[in-house]
mmCIF file of all heavy atoms in Angstrom:
data_model
loop_
_atom_site.group_PDB
_atom_site.id
_atom_site.type_symbol
_atom_site.label_atom_id
_atom_site.label_comp_id
_atom_site.label_asym_id
_atom_site.label_seq_id
_atom_site.Cartn_x
_atom_site.Cartn_y
_atom_site.Cartn_z
ATOM 1 N N TYR A 1 -7.878 16.570 -2.278
ATOM 2 C CA TYR A 1 -6.753 16.587 -1.321
ATOM 3 C C TYR A 1 -5.586 15.824 -2.178
ATOM 4 O O TYR A 1 -5.836 15.075 -3.011
ATOM 5 C CB TYR A 1 -7.174 15.762 -0.078
ATOM 6 C CG TYR A 1 -8.308 16.405 0.713
ATOM 7 C CD1 TYR A 1 -9.502 15.876 0.467
ATOM 8 C CD2 TYR A 1 -8.137 17.492 1.595
ATOM 9 C CE1 TYR A 1 -10.740 16.450 1.166
ATOM 10 C CE2 TYR A 1 -9.108 17.979 2.173
ATOM 11 C CZ TYR A 1 -10.453 17.495 2.128
ATOM 12 O OH TYR A 1 -11.422 18.074 2.827
ATOM 13 N N LYS A 2 -4.387 16.090 -1.564
ATOM 14 C CA LYS A 2 -3.162 15.532 -2.041
ATOM 15 C C LYS A 2 -2.738 14.363 -1.030
ATOM 16 O O LYS A 2 -2.546 14.702 0.193
ATOM 17 C CB LYS A 2 -2.140 16.426 -2.327
ATOM 18 C CG LYS A 2 -0.792 15.797 -2.812
ATOM 19 C CD LYS A 2 0.305 16.805 -2.907
ATOM 20 C CE LYS A 2 0.173 17.724 -4.074
ATOM 21 N NZ LYS A 2 1.306 18.725 -4.300
ATOM 22 N N LEU A 3 -2.603 13.188 -1.464
ATOM 23 C CA LEU A 3 -2.079 11.991 -0.527
ATOM 24 C C LEU A 3 -0.680 11.625 -1.028
ATOM 25 O O LEU A 3 -0.335 11.639 -2.202
ATOM 26 C CB LEU A 3 -3.098 10.866 -0.641
ATOM 27 C CG LEU A 3 -4.535 10.986 -0.347
ATOM 28 C CD1 LEU A 3 -5.196 9.553 -0.351
ATOM 29 C CD2 LEU A 3 -4.671 11.526 1.030
ATOM 30 N N GLN A 4 0.046 11.229 -0.116
ATOM 31 C CA GLN A 4 1.343 10.441 -0.301
ATOM 32 C C GLN A 4 1.077 9.020 -0.108
ATOM 33 O O GLN A 4 0.710 8.536 1.048
ATOM 34 C CB GLN A 4 2.474 10.986 0.489
ATOM 35 C CG GLN A 4 3.670 10.269 0.301
ATOM 36 C CD GLN A 4 4.946 10.882 1.080
ATOM 37 O OE1 GLN A 4 5.571 11.820 0.571
ATOM 38 N NE2 GLN A 4 5.160 10.367 2.231
ATOM 39 N N CYS A 5 1.354 8.193 -1.066
ATOM 40 C CA CYS A 5 1.109 6.720 -1.016
ATOM 41 C C CYS A 5 2.154 6.109 -0.171
ATOM 42 O O CYS A 5 3.164 6.572 0.064
ATOM 43 C CB CYS A 5 1.012 6.116 -2.366
ATOM 44 S SG CYS A 5 2.497 5.747 -3.195
ATOM 45 N N GLU A 6 1.871 4.965 0.391
ATOM 46 C CA GLU A 6 2.748 4.131 1.188
ATOM 47 C C GLU A 6 3.782 3.529 0.289
ATOM 48 O O GLU A 6 3.818 3.599 -0.949
ATOM 49 C CB GLU A 6 2.066 3.161 1.853
ATOM 50 C CG GLU A 6 0.998 3.660 2.950
ATOM 51 C CD GLU A 6 1.744 4.375 4.101
ATOM 52 O OE1 GLU A 6 2.701 3.864 4.698
ATOM 53 O OE2 GLU A 6 1.372 5.561 4.404
ATOM 54 N N LEU A 7 4.824 2.934 0.932
ATOM 55 C CA LEU A 7 5.940 2.277 0.182
ATOM 56 C C LEU A 7 5.896 0.784 0.396
ATOM 57 O O LEU A 7 5.521 0.328 1.530
ATOM 58 C CB LEU A 7 7.228 2.811 0.519
ATOM 59 C CG LEU A 7 7.527 4.242 0.117
ATOM 60 C CD1 LEU A 7 8.827 4.756 0.757
ATOM 61 C CD2 LEU A 7 7.570 4.394 -1.353
ATOM 62 N N PRO A 8 6.297 -0.061 -0.543
ATOM 63 C CA PRO A 8 6.713 0.332 -1.963
ATOM 64 C C PRO A 8 5.522 0.836 -2.737
ATOM 65 O O PRO A 8 4.336 0.370 -2.517
ATOM 66 C CB PRO A 8 7.243 -0.931 -2.533
ATOM 67 C CG PRO A 8 6.575 -1.942 -1.838
ATOM 68 C CD PRO A 8 6.378 -1.416 -0.440
ATOM 69 N N SER A 9 5.720 1.856 -3.641
ATOM 70 C CA SER A 9 4.704 2.363 -4.459
ATOM 71 C C SER A 9 4.235 1.391 -5.631
ATOM 72 O O SER A 9 4.507 1.716 -6.752
ATOM 73 C CB SER A 9 5.034 3.776 -4.968
ATOM 74 O OG SER A 9 6.216 3.653 -5.632
ATOM 75 N N MET A 10 3.633 0.330 -5.140
ATOM 76 C CA MET A 10 3.307 -0.698 -6.102
ATOM 77 C C MET A 10 1.857 -1.125 -5.879
ATOM 78 O O MET A 10 1.301 -0.859 -4.778
ATOM 79 C CB MET A 10 4.179 -2.025 -6.064
ATOM 80 C CG MET A 10 5.692 -1.723 -6.172
ATOM 81 S SD MET A 10 6.680 -3.107 -5.861
ATOM 82 C CE MET A 10 6.298 -4.123 -7.342
ATOM 83 N N SER A 11 1.239 -1.839 -6.850
ATOM 84 C CA SER A 11 -0.222 -1.906 -6.782
ATOM 85 C C SER A 11 -0.737 -2.809 -5.703
ATOM 86 O O SER A 11 -1.542 -2.398 -4.832
ATOM 87 C CB SER A 11 -0.758 -2.452 -8.127
ATOM 88 O OG SER A 11 -0.627 -1.427 -9.165
ATOM 89 N N ARG A 12 -0.387 -4.054 -5.739
ATOM 90 C CA ARG A 12 -0.987 -4.985 -4.782
ATOM 91 C C ARG A 12 -0.793 -4.593 -3.391
ATOM 92 O O ARG A 12 -1.692 -4.654 -2.542
ATOM 93 C CB ARG A 12 -0.500 -6.460 -5.109
ATOM 94 C CG ARG A 12 -1.491 -7.507 -4.322
ATOM 95 C CD ARG A 12 -0.871 -8.937 -4.384
ATOM 96 N NE ARG A 12 -0.692 -9.446 -5.678
ATOM 97 C CZ ARG A 12 -1.443 -10.490 -6.145
ATOM 98 N NH1 ARG A 12 -2.384 -11.004 -5.451
ATOM 99 N NH2 ARG A 12 -1.183 -11.020 -7.352
ATOM 100 N N PRO A 13 0.483 -4.215 -2.985
ATOM 101 C CA PRO A 13 0.692 -3.699 -1.630
ATOM 102 C C PRO A 13 -0.148 -2.489 -1.258
ATOM 103 O O PRO A 13 -0.742 -2.395 -0.097
ATOM 104 C CB PRO A 13 2.228 -3.280 -1.533
ATOM 105 C CG PRO A 13 2.777 -4.122 -2.634
ATOM 106 C CD PRO A 13 1.747 -4.247 -3.734
ATOM 107 N N LEU A 14 -0.445 -1.637 -2.130
ATOM 108 C CA LEU A 14 -1.334 -0.439 -1.853
ATOM 109 C C LEU A 14 -2.765 -0.726 -1.930
ATOM 110 O O LEU A 14 -3.584 -0.077 -1.234
ATOM 111 C CB LEU A 14 -0.872 0.702 -2.795
ATOM 112 C CG LEU A 14 0.551 1.151 -2.580
ATOM 113 C CD1 LEU A 14 0.926 2.253 -3.535
ATOM 114 C CD2 LEU A 14 0.745 1.529 -1.123
ATOM 115 N N TYR A 15 -3.227 -1.816 -2.780
ATOM 116 C CA TYR A 15 -4.604 -2.158 -2.516
ATOM 117 C C TYR A 15 -4.914 -2.631 -1.120
ATOM 118 O O TYR A 15 -5.863 -2.208 -0.458
ATOM 119 C CB TYR A 15 -4.913 -3.338 -3.427
ATOM 120 C CG TYR A 15 -4.746 -3.238 -5.006
ATOM 121 C CD1 TYR A 15 -4.592 -4.356 -5.805
ATOM 122 C CD2 TYR A 15 -4.606 -1.948 -5.518
ATOM 123 C CE1 TYR A 15 -4.379 -4.183 -7.153
ATOM 124 C CE2 TYR A 15 -4.413 -1.758 -6.934
ATOM 125 C CZ TYR A 15 -4.308 -2.896 -7.785
ATOM 126 O OH TYR A 15 -4.082 -2.758 -9.113
ATOM 127 N N GLU A 16 -3.995 -3.375 -0.586
ATOM 128 C CA GLU A 16 -4.102 -3.806 0.815
ATOM 129 C C GLU A 16 -4.072 -2.654 1.752
ATOM 130 O O GLU A 16 -4.861 -2.664 2.753
ATOM 131 C CB GLU A 16 -3.011 -4.807 1.075
ATOM 132 C CG GLU A 16 -3.004 -5.377 2.478
ATOM 133 C CD GLU A 16 -3.982 -6.547 2.820
ATOM 134 O OE1 GLU A 16 -4.957 -6.544 2.213
ATOM 135 O OE2 GLU A 16 -3.708 -7.242 3.814
ATOM 136 N N ALA A 17 -3.153 -1.768 1.571
ATOM 137 C CA ALA A 17 -3.029 -0.559 2.381
ATOM 138 C C ALA A 17 -4.281 0.235 2.372
ATOM 139 O O ALA A 17 -4.794 0.673 3.502
ATOM 140 C CB ALA A 17 -1.903 0.292 1.969
ATOM 141 N N ILE A 18 -4.928 0.496 1.250
ATOM 142 C CA ILE A 18 -6.188 1.261 1.161
ATOM 143 C C ILE A 18 -7.327 0.523 1.818
ATOM 144 O O ILE A 18 -8.020 1.134 2.661
ATOM 145 C CB ILE A 18 -6.352 1.650 -0.259
ATOM 146 C CG1 ILE A 18 -5.347 2.582 -0.873
ATOM 147 C CG2 ILE A 18 -7.811 2.172 -0.377
ATOM 148 C CD1 ILE A 18 -5.588 2.759 -2.370
ATOM 149 N N LEU A 19 -7.466 -0.737 1.550
ATOM 150 C CA LEU A 19 -8.620 -1.452 2.033
ATOM 151 C C LEU A 19 -8.488 -1.976 3.489
ATOM 152 O O LEU A 19 -9.471 -2.190 4.204
ATOM 153 C CB LEU A 19 -8.831 -2.806 1.067
ATOM 154 C CG LEU A 19 -9.770 -2.531 -0.047
ATOM 155 C CD1 LEU A 19 -11.151 -2.327 0.443
ATOM 156 C CD2 LEU A 19 -9.245 -1.537 -1.015
ATOM 157 N N THR A 20 -7.284 -1.971 4.077
ATOM 158 C CA THR A 20 -7.083 -2.355 5.444
ATOM 159 C C THR A 20 -6.521 -1.320 6.419
ATOM 160 O O THR A 20 -6.618 -1.437 7.695
ATOM 161 C CB THR A 20 -6.135 -3.505 5.652
ATOM 162 O OG1 THR A 20 -4.791 -3.140 5.175
ATOM 163 C CG2 THR A 20 -6.577 -4.669 4.648
ATOM 164 N N GLY A 21 -5.982 -0.227 5.824
ATOM 165 C CA GLY A 21 -5.286 0.806 6.740
ATOM 166 C C GLY A 21 -3.909 0.269 7.298
ATOM 167 O O GLY A 21 -3.417 0.916 8.243
ATOM 168 N N VAL A 22 -3.320 -0.876 6.804
ATOM 169 C CA VAL A 22 -2.118 -1.325 7.321
ATOM 170 C C VAL A 22 -0.988 -1.154 6.212
ATOM 171 O O VAL A 22 -1.234 -1.500 5.044
ATOM 172 C CB VAL A 22 -2.306 -2.892 7.567
ATOM 173 C CG1 VAL A 22 -0.992 -3.616 8.150
ATOM 174 C CG2 VAL A 22 -3.342 -3.121 8.642
ATOM 175 N N ALA A 23 0.111 -0.711 6.604
ATOM 176 C CA ALA A 23 1.230 -0.407 5.663
ATOM 177 C C ALA A 23 1.809 -1.780 5.149
ATOM 178 O O ALA A 23 1.759 -2.823 5.789
ATOM 179 C CB ALA A 23 2.359 0.293 6.475
ATOM 180 N N PRO A 24 2.359 -1.694 3.911
ATOM 181 C CA PRO A 24 2.756 -2.986 3.262
ATOM 182 C C PRO A 24 3.767 -3.713 4.159
ATOM 183 O O PRO A 24 3.658 -4.949 4.191
ATOM 184 C CB PRO A 24 3.390 -2.537 1.932
ATOM 185 C CG PRO A 24 2.503 -1.322 1.546
ATOM 186 C CD PRO A 24 2.249 -0.601 2.926
ATOM 187 N N VAL A 25 4.685 -3.014 4.694
ATOM 188 C CA VAL A 25 5.732 -3.729 5.501
ATOM 189 C C VAL A 25 5.161 -4.380 6.719
ATOM 190 O O VAL A 25 5.732 -5.327 7.295
ATOM 191 C CB VAL A 25 6.813 -2.822 5.907
ATOM 192 C CG1 VAL A 25 7.647 -2.290 4.881
ATOM 193 C CG2 VAL A 25 6.321 -1.649 6.787
ATOM 194 N N ASN A 26 4.012 -4.096 7.155
ATOM 195 C CA ASN A 26 3.312 -4.679 8.355
ATOM 196 C C ASN A 26 2.306 -5.741 7.792
ATOM 197 O O ASN A 26 2.038 -6.756 8.647
ATOM 198 C CB ASN A 26 2.545 -3.653 9.156
ATOM 199 C CG ASN A 26 3.628 -2.726 9.768
ATOM 200 O OD1 ASN A 26 4.684 -3.173 10.221
ATOM 201 N ND2 ASN A 26 3.220 -1.433 10.013
ATOM 202 N N SER A 27 1.690 -5.614 6.659
ATOM 203 C CA SER A 27 0.607 -6.565 6.055
ATOM 204 C C SER A 27 1.418 -7.729 5.459
ATOM 205 O O SER A 27 0.811 -8.813 5.364
ATOM 206 C CB SER A 27 -0.190 -5.856 5.087
ATOM 207 O OG SER A 27 0.528 -5.639 3.816
ATOM 208 N N GLY A 28 2.640 -7.510 5.082
ATOM 209 C CA GLY A 28 3.422 -8.578 4.368
ATOM 210 C C GLY A 28 3.159 -8.650 2.838
ATOM 211 O O GLY A 28 3.657 -9.434 2.158
ATOM 212 N N ILE A 29 2.253 -7.882 2.408
ATOM 213 C CA ILE A 29 2.040 -7.673 0.940
ATOM 214 C C ILE A 29 2.964 -6.667 0.478
ATOM 215 O O ILE A 29 2.651 -5.488 0.443
ATOM 216 C CB ILE A 29 0.546 -7.377 0.646
ATOM 217 C CG1 ILE A 29 -0.434 -8.262 1.302
ATOM 218 C CG2 ILE A 29 0.255 -7.377 -0.911
ATOM 219 C CD1 ILE A 29 -0.435 -9.733 0.795
ATOM 220 N N VAL A 30 4.203 -7.060 0.078
ATOM 221 C CA VAL A 30 5.292 -6.134 -0.123
ATOM 222 C C VAL A 30 5.603 -5.954 -1.639
ATOM 223 O O VAL A 30 6.512 -5.282 -1.961
ATOM 224 C CB VAL A 30 6.539 -6.424 0.699
ATOM 225 C CG1 VAL A 30 6.188 -6.156 2.211
ATOM 226 C CG2 VAL A 30 6.982 -7.853 0.517
ATOM 227 N N HIS A 31 5.102 -6.788 -2.385
ATOM 228 C CA HIS A 31 5.289 -6.708 -3.970
ATOM 229 C C HIS A 31 4.137 -7.369 -4.647
ATOM 230 O O HIS A 31 3.259 -7.985 -4.064
ATOM 231 C CB HIS A 31 6.673 -7.311 -4.290
ATOM 232 C CG HIS A 31 6.762 -8.744 -3.972
ATOM 233 N ND1 HIS A 31 6.277 -9.704 -4.724
ATOM 234 C CD2 HIS A 31 7.529 -9.261 -3.019
ATOM 235 C CE1 HIS A 31 6.666 -10.869 -4.036
ATOM 236 N NE2 HIS A 31 7.457 -10.674 -3.086
ATOM 237 N N ASN A 32 4.097 -7.197 -5.958
ATOM 238 C CA ASN A 32 2.943 -7.624 -6.664
ATOM 239 C C ASN A 32 2.818 -9.079 -6.840
ATOM 240 O O ASN A 32 1.750 -9.588 -7.171
ATOM 241 C CB ASN A 32 2.918 -6.889 -8.032
ATOM 242 C CG ASN A 32 2.598 -5.494 -8.063
ATOM 243 O OD1 ASN A 32 1.937 -4.978 -7.027
ATOM 244 N ND2 ASN A 32 3.006 -4.735 -9.120
#
C-alpha cells in the first residue's frame, strides 16, 4: 500500500505518530 506520512515529515514526530496514532501537532513532538 502507499501511505502519505504526517507533517512535519521528520523522524521523531513520525515515530510518535506511528506508535500512538496521534498527529505531531497534537502530540507536541513537532521536531527532532
Side-chain angles (χ1 to χ4, degrees):
Y1 299 98
K2 181 186 286 188
L3 301 185
Q4 179 173 272
C5 81
E6 295 298 306
L7 291 173
S9 52
M10 302 176 72
S11 291
R12 198 190 298 246
L14 296 178
Y15 301 164
E16 174 80 336
I18 291 169
L19 270 295
T20 69
V22 178
V25 294
N26 295 324
S27 72
I29 308 294
V30 292
H31 57 75
N32 286 340

